[in-house]
Amino acid sequence: QVQLVESGGGLVQAGGSLRLSCAASGRTFSSYVMGWFRQAPGKERDFVAAIGWTTGVTRYADSVKGRFTISRDSAKNTVYPQMNSLKPEDTAIYYCAGRRAFIAFSWKEYDYWGQGTQVTVSS
């Protein structure tokens, strides 16, 4: 019932910036969380950031604190991770995910997923 569509990925030089977006539709519950995860080839899917849809509360992985900022536009049902000072280790497929109620940090706790968008950071 919930559909998520990511966009904004691409190739960027180290130190550069990208702004991703995730548009959500079909949401019916009042308490909702939008999370972002990333997965590099052969690696686990790791938490990046999350935001409470109604509260605006945000959480960030230690690896991206001070560099990434997540925000939402309720009118557009869209969440935007602003990614600054990108590093080669940020290279991964970035996924938008959704769940009810509380912010969670494991990908296994999210119920709805987008198709992912590739972010590649060159040296």
Side-chain angles (χ1 to χ4, degrees):
Q1 292 181 331
V2 176
Q3 299 180 50
L4 305 175
V5 180
E6 305 103 325
S7 63
L11 175 65
V12 65
Q13 191 176 36
S17 299
L18 284 173
R19 189 194 192 201
L20 307 183
S21 67
C22 176
S25 62
R27 185 171 60 254
T28 60
F29 28 82
S30 59
S31 182
Y32 192 78
V33 171
M34 297 294 295
W36 281 86
F37 293 79
R38 64 187 182 187
Q39 186 169 23
K43 303 292 185 180
E44 295 293 313
R45 187 166 11 176
D46 293 326
F47 174 80
V48 176
I51 185 168
W53 196 256
T54 57
T55 65
V57 173
T58 59
R59 295 289 186 271
Y60 299 92
D62 289 340
S63 59
V64 306
K65 286 181 179 178
R67 300 189 297 120
F68 291 10
T69 302
I70 189 168
S71 62
R72 78 204 192 285
D73 186 333
S74 296
K76 297 180 179 180
N77 294 319
T78 303
V79 61
Y80 305 95
Q82 177 65 48
M83 306 160 60
N84 300 324
S85 302
L86 285 163
K87 305 174 181 179
E89 50 262 46
D90 294 319
T91 296
I93 300 175
Y94 283 71
Y95 295 94
C96 177
R99 74 184 305 273
R100 296 186 182 188
F102 310 104
I103 291 177
F105 303 97
S106 171
W107 68 270
K108 298 179 180 179
E109 299 186 55
Y110 286 76
D111 302 305
Y112 310 101
W113 292 87
Q115 295 299 306
T117 185
Q118 177 71 48
V119 172
T120 302
V121 184
S122 64
S123 301

